[in-house]
Amino acid sequence: MTSVKKSSSTVKILFLALLGIFITASSFAQTGTAITMGGNTIHTVGKLPAVGTEVKNLNLTGVDLKDKSLSEYKGKYIIMNIFPSVNTGVCSKSVRKFNEDAASLKNTTVLCISKDLPFAQKAFCGAEGINNVVMLSDFRTDFGTAYGVQIADGPMKGLLSRAVIVINPEGKIVYEQQVPEIGQEPDYTAAIAAIK
């Protein structure tokens, strides 16, 4: 009788463990976005806000360590270039490319957003001659969670995924791209076309 009870308890424990794994996997599938890193699937904590929705205000940290709010750029087009770290090849290339493009865009601000510390962002911009974009850090806010871009699992857990959001002067999203592979560049042409 005791061995039957032990077997029954073991089966219940295994069932509950498997159920927990299934529920966790299902919750990622329902709430997060599946992307890849080197071909391996990872997830974000949510989804990007949809085209047509009004943007949520945000507070991020500038290279001067002061809080910056999205409302400071009201009345302009805003391109949000979101990425894991300026210290990687594809991320730094995206900052350089948007910096180059921003010089010719009228009534547009490009916000380059990562979890990098403001000191690293400032040093990168100084070394690269970057002066047409605004570098912002998410190191002390919940931007990644609010916008669904924080990576939820894998080796880059806690960093931001690669994404682009374009906001019109009225504060509505007119373009969004969650880049499907972390090592892939965003679609610069489509992002720029969204403001013309």
Side-chain angles (χ1 to χ4, degrees):
M1 206 65 156
T2 307
S3 64
V4 171
K5 283 184 181 178
K6 282 183 183 177
S7 293
S8 177
S9 294
T10 303
V11 169
K12 283 180 185 174
I13 290 169
L14 285 172
F15 174 76
L16 291 173
L18 288 172
L19 183 62
I21 291 169
F22 175 76
I23 289 170
T24 301
S26 294
S27 67
F28 275 134
Q30 291 171 2
T31 60
T33 301
I35 57 176
T36 58
M37 179 179 166
N40 298 313
T41 301
I42 58 175
H43 302 87
T44 62
V45 297
K47 296 185 185 306
L48 287 175
V51 169
T53 60
E54 196 151 332
V55 293
K56 300 174 188 174
N57 198 15
L58 57 92
N59 284 303
L60 294 163
T61 306
V63 295
D64 58 1
L65 296 177
K66 293 182 180 170
D67 288 344
K68 303 288 182 191
S69 170
L70 192 61
S71 60
E72 293 177 39
Y73 309 101
K74 191 173 181 175
K76 293 184 171 190
Y77 279 98
I78 300 168
I79 298 174
M80 297 169 73
N81 176 32
I82 305 160
F83 51 89
S85 174
V86 77
N87 291 316
T88 65
V90 177
C91 299
S92 59
K93 189 173 182 180
S94 75
V95 173
R96 284 188 210 99
K97 177 65 175 147
F98 276 119
N99 181 65
E100 183 183 303
D101 291 342
S104 64
L105 299 174
K106 300 217 184 307
N107 197 37
T108 303
T109 299
V110 178
L111 307 178
C112 292
I113 305 168
S114 68
K115 289 264 189 185
D116 292 303
L117 293 177
F119 314 112
Q121 293 177 335
K122 186 175 184 177
F124 172 80
C125 289
E128 296 281 333
I130 304 289
N131 54 18
N132 296 322
V133 300
V134 177
M135 300 295 285
L136 296 173
S137 177
D138 180 31
F139 85 106
R140 61 181 174 199
T141 70
D142 67 345
F143 167 79
T145 302
Y147 276 76
V149 292
Q150 187 161 307
I151 298 172
D153 54 0
M156 294 179 84
K157 179 179 179 179
L159 295 178
L160 304 181
S161 64
R162 189 175 318 287
V164 175
I165 298 172
V166 179
I167 304 160
N168 70 14
E170 292 75 42
K172 294 208 172 170
I173 295 173
V174 293
Y175 173 82
E176 55 90 352
Q177 179 197 20
Q178 172 61 72
V179 180
E181 161 60 45
I182 213 91
Q184 176 185 334
E185 290 179 68
D187 187 341
Y188 305 111
T189 305
I192 299 300
I195 65 169
K196 293 183 177 179

